[in-house]
Amino acid sequence: DYKNDMAEQNLAGTKTGFFGIQEYPDRVWFSTYDYFTCFSLADGKNIWPNHKLRSPITQLLLYKEHLITTTSSQDDDAKGGKGLGGLVKKAASGGNRAAAMAYNYNTGTQVWKEALDLDGTVIDYSYYDEGKKIVLATESKRGVNRLNLVDMEACKFLLKDDFKIDGDLLAVQMTPAGVMYFTTTELNI
C-alpha cells in the first residue's frame, strides 16, 4: 500500500512504474510521480528511504555502484494544478525542472551532494570512457535539442554550454572521432 500525491487526487497509476536490475535479483525499485524507492522482494519492506522527486523519472542510467536517474522537464497540470494557483504551487516546490541524481544501489543514499540540473528531458544517451562519462541528449519544453557530456563520478558537465542541434534527435553515439548525432535535419560529429 503506497500513498502518494497523485493517489490523493484520484490519479493513481499516473506516471508510476517498477523495475528490477539483473545484478540485484532480491529487490525491486518503484517510482511514482512524486517518490522513488526500493523494496525487498522477500518481505516487501523498504530497503531505501523514500526520495521526493521534482518531476517523474524518465531514464535510468546504470553505473557501477550508483543508479542514476533523470527526471522530466515537462509541465504537468495534474502536479501543480491549472491557473495562478498551479503556477504558485509549482514555483514553491522548486518548479518542474529536469535533473539527474545518483543513488547508492545498496543504501539508497544520494551520492552527489546536489542534483545535476538538466536543460530539458533526457531523450537519448551514450556511455564512453569505460562508462565513466556519458553523452546526454535533452529536449526542452520548447522543443530545443541539446547535447552535453557528463563526468558521472564528479557530477559535472564537461562542456561549459550545452551544444544546440537542429531538428528532432533520432540517435546519439560516442565514436573515436567524437559525439555522432543524427537528427531529422542533420548528421554530424
Side-chain angles (χ1 to χ4, degrees):
D1 204 12
Y2 199 80
K3 293 193 177 212
N4 63 75
D5 292 349
M6 297 305 281
E8 298 290 324
Q9 299 176 37
N10 294 323
L11 296 171
T14 304
K15 300 191 188 267
T16 64
F18 64 92
F19 62 94
I21 299 174
Q22 186 175 355
E23 291 79 9
Y24 297 90
D26 62 333
R27 63 192 73 180
V28 63
W29 283 266
F30 180 72
S31 68
T32 69
Y33 196 107
D34 301 300
Y35 292 99
F36 181 51
T37 193
C38 182
F39 294 103
S40 164
L41 285 175
D43 58 16
K45 291 184 180 173
N46 269 76
I47 296 174
W48 282 17
N50 294 333
H51 293 284
K52 180 83 171 147
L53 300 173
R54 290 192 265 190
S55 58
I57 291 175
T58 57
Q59 298 281 351
L60 300 164
L61 312 174
L62 308 180
Y63 175 69
K64 295 183 183 178
E65 66 277 357
H66 311 339
L67 173 62
I68 298 172
T69 63
T70 65
T71 62
S72 171
S73 69
Q74 303 303 314
D75 277 339
D76 192 323
D77 287 335
K79 176 76 172 174
K82 294 184 180 183
L84 182 59
L87 291 174
V88 171
K89 187 173 179 183
K90 286 177 192 174
S93 67
N96 199 8
R97 299 183 317 255
M101 286 117 353
Y103 303 98
N104 178 284
Y105 284 113
N106 292 313
T107 65
T109 55
Q110 286 187 269
V111 177
W112 298 338
K113 289 182 182 179
E114 295 181 7
L116 187 63
D117 286 332
L118 303 173
D119 193 12
T121 301
V122 173
I123 54 174
D124 202 359
Y125 59 91
S126 177
Y127 295 99
Y128 70 103
D129 191 16
E130 298 177 1
K132 296 177 195 166
K133 297 181 177 87
I134 194 166
V135 179
L136 291 181
T138 60
E139 180 179 31
S140 73
K141 289 184 267 187
R142 296 176 300 284
V144 177
N145 290 305
R146 292 182 168 89
L147 299 174
N148 207 326
L149 311 175
V150 176
D151 182 324
M152 304 245 280
E153 293 179 348
C155 176
K156 68 177 185 176
F157 289 111
L158 297 174
L159 300 178
K160 182 179 176 183
D161 296 311
D162 291 346
F163 180 72
K164 186 177 174 185
I165 55 178
D166 293 327
D168 294 329
L169 184 75
L170 301 174
V172 62
Q173 183 69 46
M174 180 56 80
T175 71
V179 179
M180 180 178 72
Y181 65 92
F182 176 48
T183 74
T184 52
T185 60
E186 64 182 349
L187 170 67
N188 208 335
I189 295 179

